[in-house]
Amino acid sequence: MVSLKHWQLSRDELTKMGVKLPAFDVDATRAAGARQPVWIHFGGGNLYRAFHAEVAQDVMDAGALDRGVVVVETFSPFTIDEVYAPYDENILQVIMHEDGALEERVLASTAASFFCNPKRPDDYARVQQYFESDELQLATFTITEKGYALKDPSGELFGYVAAEIANGPEAAASTMGIVAALLLARYEAGAAPIALVSTDNFSQNGRRFRDAVLTIANGWYEAGHVSQGFIEYVSDESRVSFPWSMIDRITPNPAEAVAQRLAAEGWSDLPLIPNGPVNFAGFANTEQVHYLVVEDSFPNGRPALELGGVILTDRETVDKADTMKVTTCLNPLHTGLAVYGCLLGYTKIADEMRDEDLVALVKRLGYDEGMPVVVNPGVIDPKEFIDVLVEHRLPNPSLPDAPQRIAQDTSQKLPIRYGHTINAYLAAGKSTSSLVGIPLVIAGWLRYLEAVDDTRAAFTPSPDPLLAGLQKRLADGGIELGVTDAAAIHATMQPILSNLEIFDCDLYEAGLGERIEGMFAELNAGLGAVRATLHAYLAA
């Protein structure tokens, strides 16, 4: 048996097992990083463990980084205490290939981990000391989009954010507040430059990040807690930069099937570690394909990230790459599979990719409807991106990714994933009459809101901030499975399909509203209507 925690005692055995091991001096690199890192990462979840830690290790293996990465959490100490500490910061990366093979690699690029929150003063003080050093070059972030949110849907600051602004840096509670407080410590220690790099999966993430930090900083200034000099420091991107990025790697929660296979191979200490709906483990399972495009704006220097496969470029190119992925080449296809996967009873994306109708849907969305208006970023070819996605990534049976996971927060994704393309057609003077896949997905989403699948079985829709309100609107309009009356459907759907907040355009003005209503009526006709409608439109 071999142990991840003590992997260095089993080098020969692991090599015989085919596990890839670090090619650098692990002890020296970790000690140097724990003393003072050049790279800190916020959010040590599964994406960091599967992707960023690999990037860092590739740079270390190439001899271009001699200090380990320090990982911090700000919201909960769970991963620090239950996932990092028990394994001495070691990670087993497991790449799940299409043929079922598992490619394993010990990632030892993490030097230390801390719960960076005033609730744990010693950890917080240690990270603050790191920020006070001019040797720190960058901090990367995977804290999910909600980690940058400071306001509720009405535009008011969350109560805890208002409190931390009123009470000053010592009362920092949100991740953005903690980051602002760490920047204040850095400013007061000499104002060394730094890059704060959001690698979370949403558009123009660097702009959103900067706006959030400046909201906290300006609030402190107005309350008399900080000086004008601090505001000038944070506002000056030649000293504090917020590079934009595009990231893409499908990284499902660690799977029980993978844990069982690893145990059968001889790993002794890799069970699942549940934390609510999310699993962690000493291992992180992921796909082989990955992309990380980052704006090359690092005022205090940076490691040679390109040796880890990172594409470094300018902001405009990053934005184009992100727009390509989010509006054309991946996310719209994923959402289409999510909606219809739930309606057709699927629980794995890979299984959907053996369904001829659903494969036709994603190809229609990507190749036929998105590609005519996509902007080529130059660093990634859009057609090659879709080819790899459709032929290799989505059909990968080893990836335990579910349509139910992708269906979360669909109402928040529609304006970017479909509204952007619709608006691009209109801006280019192109008729939307050729669009079939996009209106089918929108009509399918409306049918999904009824929470009844194509066999009439009830299901639980994934969490969405607009779910309850939209379901009430359908119920108040008398819309349920079997209702096909055009007048009733129009009266109920018109306020939804014309909502600029949901779609970023009025779908009636775009020439799609009535067509979506008609598609919904067909999808809603009764037992088997979803399958029949999909097949009819896509076969044609």
Side-chain angles (χ1 to χ4, degrees):
M1 302 295 285
V2 294
S3 161
L4 178 62
K5 180 176 181 178
H6 302 296
W7 68 268
Q8 295 198 67
L9 301 177
S10 306
R11 281 181 172 271
D12 292 343
E13 188 173 354
L14 289 170
T15 300
K16 290 178 182 177
M17 289 168 58
V19 179
K20 186 176 180 180
L21 302 178
F24 56 92
D25 186 329
V26 172
D27 293 339
T29 301
R30 283 181 159 173
R35 177 189 61 80
Q36 174 57 55
V38 298
W39 179 356
I40 292 177
H41 184 84
F42 285 72
N46 290 318
L47 185 56
Y48 168 82
R49 295 169 61 76
F51 195 177
H52 301 70
E54 177 191 32
V55 171
Q57 184 140 317
D58 284 343
V59 180
M60 293 171 187
D61 280 347
L65 180 59
D66 60 2
R67 303 190 202 186
V69 180
V70 168
V71 167
V72 302
E73 290 283 355
T74 58
F75 179 70
S76 166
F78 177 86
T79 54
I80 302 301
D81 296 344
E82 304 296 331
V83 184
Y84 283 86
Y87 295 98
D88 287 344
E89 275 66 52
N90 294 306
I91 302 163
L92 183 68
Q93 180 197 54
V94 180
I95 295 175
M96 299 181 289
H97 290 275
E98 293 174 77
D99 62 2
L102 300 183
E103 180 183 345
E104 299 164 29
R105 183 181 185 184
V106 172
L107 300 178
S109 52
T110 305
S113 58
F114 299 95
F115 181 45
C116 179
N117 190 293
K119 295 177 182 177
R120 191 173 286 183
D122 290 345
D123 280 17
Y124 188 79
R126 184 67 176 274
V127 178
Q128 180 174 303
Q129 289 174 2
Y130 290 151
F131 263 78
E132 290 171 345
S133 170
D134 59 8
E135 296 178 50
L136 180 64
Q137 295 178 328
L138 73 153
T140 50
F141 293 75
T142 50
I143 56 175
T144 75
E145 185 171 0
K146 63 186 177 185
Y148 304 84
L150 302 179
K151 298 179 180 180
D152 62 24
S154 67
E156 297 296 321
L157 289 172
F158 292 124
Y160 64 89
V161 175
E164 71 181 343
I165 288 176
N167 296 325
E170 294 77 13
S174 69
T175 300
M176 295 298 99
I178 288 170
V179 170
L182 293 170
L183 284 175
L184 178 62
R186 188 171 181 84
Y187 169 74
E188 292 176 341
I194 190 172
L196 302 179
V197 190
S198 170
T199 56
D200 278 295
N201 186 22
F202 61 94
S203 298
Q204 300 187 0
N205 45 21
R207 177 191 58 76
R208 174 94 167 267
F209 190 6
R210 183 174 186 268
D211 288 348
V213 171
L214 281 170
T215 295
I216 300 287
N218 284 315
W220 285 342
Y221 174 70
E222 292 169 5
H225 296 301
V226 299
S227 67
Q228 177 65 33
F230 174 60
I231 302 301
E232 293 172 355
Y233 169 67
V234 178
S235 301
D236 183 355
E237 289 208 68
S238 70
R239 292 193 286 174
V240 180
S241 69
F242 294 84
W244 295 16
S245 73
M246 183 279 273
I247 191 167
D248 180 25
R249 190 170 207 173
I250 299 172
T251 305
N253 290 338
E256 178 62 39
V258 175
Q260 292 174 359
R261 287 184 61 181
L262 294 173
E265 289 177 8
W267 290 98
S268 65
D269 56 351
L270 295 175
L272 296 190
I273 307 168
N275 182 30
V278 179
N279 287 331
F280 288 93
F283 68 90
N285 46 223
T286 190
E287 64 174 335
Q288 181 178 21
V289 179
H290 56 272
Y291 306 88
L292 179 54
V293 185
V294 178
E295 178 188 356
D296 196 359
S297 177
F298 294 83
N300 200 32
R302 60 169 174 79
L305 299 173
E306 61 273 19
L307 297 177
V310 178
I311 299 171
L312 293 146
T313 183
D314 56 55
R315 179 173 293 184
E316 181 181 3
T317 302
V318 173
D319 195 34
K320 288 179 180 178
D322 185 75
T323 300
M324 177 206 74
K325 183 194 78 157
V326 172
T327 69
T328 303
C329 296
L330 190 154
N331 297 48
L333 285 62
H334 237 170
T335 292
L337 289 172
V339 168
Y340 280 102
C342 294
L343 289 172
L344 295 174
Y346 285 103
T347 58
K348 286 187 67 175
I349 293 290
D351 291 342
E352 292 187 71
M353 292 302 291
R354 292 195 290 271
D355 184 312
E356 291 184 1
D357 292 328
L358 294 179
V359 170
L361 174 65
V362 297
K363 288 183 175 180
R364 177 83 194 190
L365 288 167
Y367 292 113
D368 298 333
E369 300 183 6
M371 286 293 288
V373 293
V374 73
V375 176
N376 190 332
V379 295
I380 301 172
D381 180 79
K383 183 180 181 302
E384 290 180 6
F385 187 101
I386 298 181
D387 288 345
V388 173
L389 179 74
V390 172
E391 295 171 13
H392 301 288
R393 301 177 68 189
L394 294 177
N396 186 342
S398 299
L399 285 174
D401 210 5
Q404 290 75 19
R405 181 183 78 87
I406 306 300
Q408 292 181 20
D409 302 328
T410 296
S411 70
Q412 308 301 291
K413 301 169 181 175
L414 293 171
I416 298 297
R417 301 189 178 189
Y418 302 108
H420 182 279
T421 294
I422 294 168
N423 284 328
Y425 270 74
L426 298 175
K430 297 171 68 69
S431 171
T432 60
S433 62
S434 64
L435 300 180
V436 174
I438 290 175
L440 263 178
V441 174
I442 295 172
W445 172 65
L446 295 171
R447 170 67 179 78
Y448 164 93
L449 295 174
E450 294 179 346
V452 180
D453 71 16
D454 205 28
T455 68
R456 295 183 182 270
F459 65 87
T460 301
S462 301
D464 187 307
L466 298 188
L467 179 63
L470 290 167
Q471 288 186 317
K472 183 177 186 303
R473 179 174 291 280
L474 265 63
D476 290 347
I479 303 300
E480 58 184 12
L481 185 60
V483 173
T484 59
D485 179 72
I489 290 172
H490 176 74
T492 303
M493 301 305 181
Q494 193 276 336
I496 300 174
L497 298 177
S498 61
N499 189 321
L500 301 183
E501 295 297 320
I502 298 178
F503 296 105
D504 197 32
C505 60
D506 183 325
L507 292 175
Y508 295 93
E509 293 179 1
L512 293 172
E514 289 83 358
R515 192 180 325 159
I516 292 169
E517 290 179 8
M519 289 176 168
F520 173 82
E522 295 176 70
L523 292 165
N524 204 46
L527 180 69
V530 172
R531 171 65 69 187
T533 303
L534 262 182
H535 186 75
Y537 276 99
L538 295 168

